[in-house]
Amino acid sequence: KAGVTQTPRYLIKTRGQQVTLSCSPISGHRSVSWYQQTPGQGLQFLFEYFSETQRNKGNFPGRFSGRQFSNSRSEMNVSTLELGDSALYLCASSPRRDSDTQYFGPGTRLTVL
Amino acid sequence: QKEVEQDPGPLSVPEGAIVSLNCTYSNSAFQYFMWYRQYSRKGPELLMYTYSSGNKEDGRFTAQVDKSSKYISLFIRDSQPSDSATYLCAMPTQGGYNKLIFGAGTRLAVHP
């Protein structure tokens, strides 16, 4: 079974731009969560989607948004990029909301110049 | 104070050593504990999870939970160079299993 895939793997943007990252969960998985990983703050939860609805949200500004499609694929968007948004963005999928295992993708490395 | 505290290391040990990795947490509502391993330039992979106090063993890995002290540990026996990675403890928050709070991660280097 293919794992979680994320595209693109690397991205360079400039301040003020916006960016969209994509995540394809493991086949059959319906829950997708997004995390931001930085050296200073570590891994932080962004949001969770299940059945095309946002179920949980972390403590991030409204510039961070996401959505999930009917095939469970998910995208996250960051508008008006800031230097501090440079991070590894990780997507994780699980079969259900009450599953005790999440499987992470390789991440998208975003650099904001 | 962070809800989950983990010493970031780095920790350097010789091959064959027993490694002890630890986290403390402050929220007594946490009931489920996980350890993830993350290699450089990869996403985290789940190593072990446990619900209860006590020990859980899986091969060379043992997860230990002490809820009374709010302290969790991961022991690696007969450590190998391939164990060199960052180890993260994680717990689901009250938002559910898919809303995890992570420790800072401990970077481990096992040298031959």
Side-chain angles (χ1 to χ4, degrees), chain A residues 9-10 31 33 35 37 40 43 45 48 56-57 88 90 94 96-102 104-106, chain B residues 2 32 34 36 38 41-46 49 51 88 94-104:
Chain A
R9 291 292 311 277
Y10 301 92
S31 175
S33 297
Y35 293 82
Q37 187 173 30
L43 259 162
F45 174 83
E48 177 200 4
N56 269 308
K57 191 176 192 306
L88 181 67
L90 291 157
S94 61
R96 309 171 303 276
R97 295 205 67 216
D98 62 351
S99 173
D100 50 19
T101 50
Q102 275 191 305
F104 281 81
Chain B
K2 290 186 176 181
Y32 176 61
M34 290 168 274
Y36 281 84
Q38 186 175 23
R41 298 189 187 88
K42 302 277 190 181
E45 57 175 323
L46 181 64
Y49 63 88
Y51 286 93
L88 302 119
Q94 288 162 321
Y97 283 110
N98 294 334
K99 184 179 180 182
L100 299 178
I101 182 168
F102 283 85

Side-chain angles (χ1 to χ4, degrees), chain A residues 46-64:
Chain A
L46 278 157
F47 26 65
E48 177 200 4
Y49 284 88
F50 181 82
S51 292
E52 302 177 64
T53 303
Q54 188 179 92
R55 304 291 177 156
N56 269 308
K57 191 176 192 306
N59 190 26
F60 279 83
R63 300 185 296 106
F64 292 81

Side-chain angles (χ1 to χ4, degrees), chain B residues 52-79:
Chain B
S52 55
S53 285
N55 295 352
K56 180 178 179 180
E57 203 171 303
D58 184 2
R60 296 185 296 111
F61 298 89
T62 299
Q64 189 174 80
V65 175
D66 182 349
K67 287 185 180 177
S68 62
S69 301
K70 298 190 184 69
Y71 191 87
I72 66 171
S73 301
L74 178 71
F75 297 96
I76 307 174
R77 289 184 300 281
D78 187 26
S79 56

Side-chain angles (χ1 to χ4, degrees), chain A residues 18 26 31 33 40 45 49 58 63 71 73 78 80 90 110 112:
Chain A
Q18 75 164 15
I26 293 171
S31 175
S33 297
F45 174 83
Y49 284 88
R63 300 185 296 106
N71 61 358
R73 192 178 69 85
V78 189
T80 319
L90 291 157
L110 171 65
V112 182

Side-chain angles (χ1 to χ4, degrees), chain A residues 2-5 23-32 68 71-74 91-94 103:
Chain A
V4 178
T5 57
C23 171
S24 292
I26 293 171
S27 177
H29 284 196
R30 297 174 60 198
S31 175
V32 173
Q68 187 181 34
N71 61 358
S72 296
R73 192 178 69 85
S74 178
C91 166
S93 79
S94 61
Y103 299 88

